[in-house]
Amino acid sequence: MRIEKTLKCILLDDELPSLRFLKMLCEQISGLEVVKAFNDPVVLLKEYKSLNFDFCILDIEMPQFNGFDVAKELEDYPIVFSTAYKQYASDAFDINAVDYMRKPISLSRLQQAVLKVEQVINSRSAESSPFAQFNTNKGKAILYFSQINYVQIAEVDSRDKTVFLGDGSTILLKNISFDRLLALLPEQDFIRINKKEIIALKIVKFFSADVITSSLVDGQDAAILFSLGESYKKSFLEKFA
């Protein structure tokens, strides 16, 4: 089996032997990369926002949070469930899970699930729109993604976001989180670089360990610089790998 485009996944299973076995199976599929394997749902929920991945494979029965709780938090990502129990299948598909695998999982069964994920991701890309509608300080607005250079948390209210456009103007998006915004923006074109900013990859000119030099200039014709946060560095560098 060969995936057309590299897919990145995160794994979650509170039983370490099952987690190791699932990771070993994943590593046998060409084009599939395990970004991180978690055995604690609390840790996953704390860290996933700083990771660059395409989909998740989740166990269901776990302490504190079950797989459905985690899936609700990861609603923008395709979900594959991996469990020893058959009674949760209908619940899994009620939340639009891509697949439901029964343990013990075979390599061929995992391959089937990954192919389904690939089809879902490809269909989403084909259906993706070049624009989205937002609530702004001036009312409803259609914003084309190609217009966006970067986005910052608004100075007055952190729930709002200031968008800096290619024509030099700005627009204020009302009450929208970075997670929601990243779910709308084309993943291949935008990335979060710190706690306060998302940038379009097209404006990146140079970068070092902690500073991004953009192709944009300020009022004194000096290049606009951006800070590259430590927890966002790995996903940023992967964009240019």
Side-chain angles (χ1 to χ4, degrees):
M1 172 187 170
R2 172 66 192 179
I3 300 171
E4 292 182 6
K5 179 183 176 182
T6 298
L7 291 179
K8 299 180 180 182
C9 68
I10 58 174
L11 313 178
L12 173 63
D13 195 315
D14 65 313
E15 297 179 355
L16 284 176
S18 294
L19 185 62
R20 293 192 189 103
F21 182 70
L22 178 58
K23 185 173 184 291
M24 181 268 294
L25 289 180
C26 289
E27 290 170 346
Q28 295 181 51
I29 299 179
S30 179
L32 180 62
E33 175 186 340
V34 176
V35 174
K36 192 161 186 178
F38 296 90
N39 72 326
D40 186 338
V42 175
V43 177
L44 182 152
L45 292 172
K46 181 180 178 181
E47 296 185 6
Y48 83 91
K49 293 179 182 179
S50 65
L51 301 176
N52 178 25
F53 62 99
D54 300 301
F55 73 103
C56 325
I57 303 178
L58 308 176
D59 190 15
I60 293 181
E61 288 204 346
M62 294 175 291
Q64 290 188 268
F65 297 98
N66 64 35
F68 296 120
D69 296 325
V70 177
K72 290 174 183 176
E73 176 70 20
L74 301 172
E75 61 181 356
D76 294 319
Y77 296 91
I79 301 293
V80 173
F81 285 111
S82 168
T83 179
Y85 305 95
K86 63 181 181 181
Q87 66 264 33
Y88 299 116
S90 60
D91 294 329
F93 292 113
D94 282 345
I95 63 169
N96 295 319
V98 174
D99 208 345
Y100 185 93
M101 302 185 297
R102 291 277 308 281
K103 297 177 182 178
I105 300 165
S106 66
L107 178 59
S108 60
R109 181 65 185 86
L110 178 60
Q111 288 174 329
Q112 291 176 18
V114 173
L115 284 174
K116 289 181 181 179
V117 170
E118 185 178 31
Q119 291 169 358
V120 168
I121 291 175
N122 288 342
S123 66
R124 287 183 180 180
S125 298
E127 295 170 0
S128 61
S129 172
F131 61 85
Q133 180 175 282
F134 295 93
N135 293 319
T136 77
N137 57 322
K138 298 180 180 179
K140 296 281 187 181
I142 297 293
L143 189 58
Y144 281 83
F145 304 135
S146 61
Q147 297 175 292
I148 300 172
N149 282 337
Y150 61 101
V151 184
Q152 291 181 340
I153 289 179
E155 293 183 2
V156 176
D157 189 337
S158 62
R159 293 173 298 180
D160 300 337
K161 307 296 179 287
T162 302
V163 180
F164 294 77
L165 303 174
D167 62 3
S169 65
T170 62
I171 189 168
L172 187 69
L173 307 185
K174 299 295 292 181
N175 195 23
I176 185 169
S177 68
F178 270 148
D179 287 343
R180 178 57 183 158
L181 190 52
L182 285 170
L184 294 170
L185 295 171
E187 182 185 1
Q188 69 274 16
D189 298 327
F190 293 88
I191 189 163
R192 189 170 183 180
I193 57 169
N194 55 53
K195 293 182 178 180
K196 297 183 177 181
E197 293 171 313
I198 294 170
I199 65 170
L201 296 179
K202 66 183 180 182
I203 71 169
V204 176
K205 190 173 183 180
F206 310 110
F207 59 87
S208 63
D210 52 10
V211 175
I212 298 167
T213 302
S214 75
S215 57
L216 309 176
V217 294
D218 60 20
Q220 285 71 47
D221 286 333
I224 296 177
L225 306 180
F226 295 88
S227 173
L228 179 57
E230 185 64 33
S231 61
Y232 300 90
K233 192 173 298 183
K234 182 175 184 292
S235 57
F236 176 82
L237 295 176
E238 286 174 347
K239 291 287 188 180
F240 297 93

